Amino acid sequence: MKPVTLRQQAGVALLEVVIAVILLGIGLLGAIGLQARSYSALADAGQRAEATIQADKLVAMMNTDVANIGSYALAANGTPAAALAPWVAETRTLIPGATAVVVVAQQGTRWRVDITIAWRRKQGTDTNTHRVTAYVI
């Protein structure tokens, strides 16, 4: 058996360093990808929370103005009535590009209110939709 000489081991440490750097680079790219996805999810969650708050505000407005509840109806791409216009403007400010549809229907002694708020977080992505159904007495 022939003893191992230093000449045969030359460059092994350099090869180990190159492999370690490649593995570290792959790990860092994975971490950056996770960070980008978490930022996207956080932005979606923030807009969904805003939609929930806005829908709740509208239901509260309707509860205090039951006599005029029919004026809160809004068709897709429709022009909001005077009572609803400030809410629509605020919703579009808080959720850029948001569209709202409000359906008000009487069911016996109560009113059924369906609120749909839709938006796109960025161009080319699917539309996010938040729907709320409430009953006003």
Side-chain angles (χ1 to χ4, degrees), residues 3-135:
V4 177
T5 63
L6 289 178
R7 186 81 175 143
Q8 292 174 335
Q9 293 293 320
V12 172
L14 183 61
L15 182 62
E16 289 175 354
V17 169
V18 169
I19 291 172
V21 167
I22 289 172
L23 290 176
L24 180 64
I26 291 170
L28 288 174
L29 285 175
I32 291 169
L34 283 174
Q35 182 70 24
R37 288 177 64 100
S38 69
Y39 176 75
S40 174
L42 180 64
D44 285 342
Q47 288 180 332
R48 188 164 302 280
E50 286 297 338
T52 301
I53 292 168
Q54 288 305 107
D56 188 46
K57 278 184 182 181
L58 182 58
V59 170
M61 287 169 47
M62 291 178 170
N63 271 324
T64 60
D65 193 18
V66 177
N68 300 314
I69 198 166
S71 66
Y72 289 93
L74 178 64
N77 298 321
T79 303
L84 191 59
W87 178 83
V88 171
E90 182 181 16
T91 300
R92 289 182 179 153
T93 300
L94 294 171
I95 307 169
T99 59
V101 175
V102 181
V103 178
V104 179
Q106 189 168 10
Q107 293 183 336
T109 60
R110 63 185 183 175
W111 296 87
R112 178 184 167 141
V113 178
D114 294 312
I115 303 167
T116 304
I117 301 172
W119 69 93
R120 277 194 187 165
R121 195 172 62 79
K122 62 183 182 178
Q123 199 70 344
T125 59
D126 291 337
T127 301
N128 294 316
T129 304
H130 185 69
R131 291 184 186 95
V132 173
T133 298
Y135 292 92

